[in-house]
Each structure stands twice: as structure tokens, then as C-alpha cells.
Amino acid sequence: MGKVTYSPGIQYVQGSLAKPKKLNGHKHGDYLIGTHRTAPTQSSDCTRLYLRKADTYDRATQPTGDELKARERFAAVAALVKARKGDLSQISADQDAFLAQKDTAGGKKTMRAYLWKVCGAEYDQQHQG
């Protein structure tokens, strides 16, 4: 087994150190991923380094109809949230409604989450069926 040692001052690396570059329609290079185990253990070796092929994370199947609908809904609701957040005529009403529901059971704790809930419900109402 190989051991990983980083330069002085670097205790560990967690995440992607290198990713393949896509040039002229194909990928050059591979993924280089560093991990650091945080679970308690007897071993002092808690750092690992992995090399993965460039096509490791490519999707093997086409998106399903349900997935495409979910993507479409997400994009539409995100646009509604962005528009509503900037609508000066609705800000005070939204803030009042948010504060009224915030401390209830199932209430959203952030304004952004509240707007996602409201705009998601509006989208679902319009696209029912």
C-alpha cells in the first residue's frame, strides 16, 4: 500500500486534486481524488489518494421522463423565486407571511426556503395533471 505525504504545512487534502480537461470533443487526463478519514480508528494512516478514469462519472443511461420533468420544474421554480425576490410590490407581504409561518410546525426557517415552497406550490397548481 502506498502512503500519501503532502508538503509541510498541508495536513490533508479532501476532494478533487485534478479533473480531466475536455478538448476537441474528448477528455484528456484522469481524476485525482484525495480523501481524509475522520472516523475514529487505531491506524495512523487516514489519508488516501485515488485515481479514477476520465469516464468514471459519465452517465450510462438517458434521463427518464420523470427526471426531465423534475429538471423542468426546478428551473421554472428557480426563475419564479428569483423574480419574486426582486418584486418590490410583494416583498412586505412575503415577509409578513414568512414571519407568520416561521415558528409553526413544518414552517420554513429561511426566506429563501419559504419562497421555494410558495413558488413550488404555484407551479404545481398551474401544471396540475
Side-chain angles (χ1 to χ4, degrees):
M1 169 173 60
K3 292 187 179 182
V4 179
T5 306
Y6 296 106
S7 297
I10 299 174
Q11 294 177 353
Y12 63 87
V13 176
Q14 188 155 342
S16 183
L17 298 167
K19 294 180 181 179
K21 293 182 180 179
K22 190 169 188 179
L23 298 172
N24 300 326
H26 62 280
K27 294 179 181 176
H28 297 273
D30 293 324
Y31 288 95
L32 186 61
I33 303 165
T35 63
H36 178 74
R37 183 182 60 236
T38 56
T41 182
Q42 298 292 325
S43 174
S44 63
D45 298 329
C46 56
T47 301
R48 301 281 188 267
L49 195 62
Y50 298 98
L51 184 65
R52 300 283 188 246
K53 288 299 202 184
D55 62 354
T56 299
Y57 302 108
D58 288 348
R59 187 176 181 129
T61 61
Q62 293 295 318
T64 64
D66 288 341
E67 187 176 349
L68 292 174
K69 287 179 187 176
R71 289 180 185 181
E72 182 181 317
R73 181 184 184 275
F74 181 87
V77 173
L80 288 172
V81 168
K82 184 176 181 180
R84 188 164 180 152
K85 215 167 61 169
D87 187 359
L88 298 177
S89 65
Q90 284 191 322
I91 287 179
S92 62
D94 283 341
Q95 288 174 341
D96 292 340
F98 166 69
L99 292 173
Q101 63 85 46
K102 181 179 178 182
D103 295 325
T104 62
K108 298 299 179 186
K109 302 299 181 198
T110 65
M111 186 66 167
R112 182 180 299 263
Y114 172 73
L115 289 176
W116 271 88
K117 177 183 171 185
V118 170
C119 292
E122 286 177 12
Y123 179 88
D124 292 341
Q125 177 96 21
Q126 293 172 358
H127 296 84
Q128 191 177 27

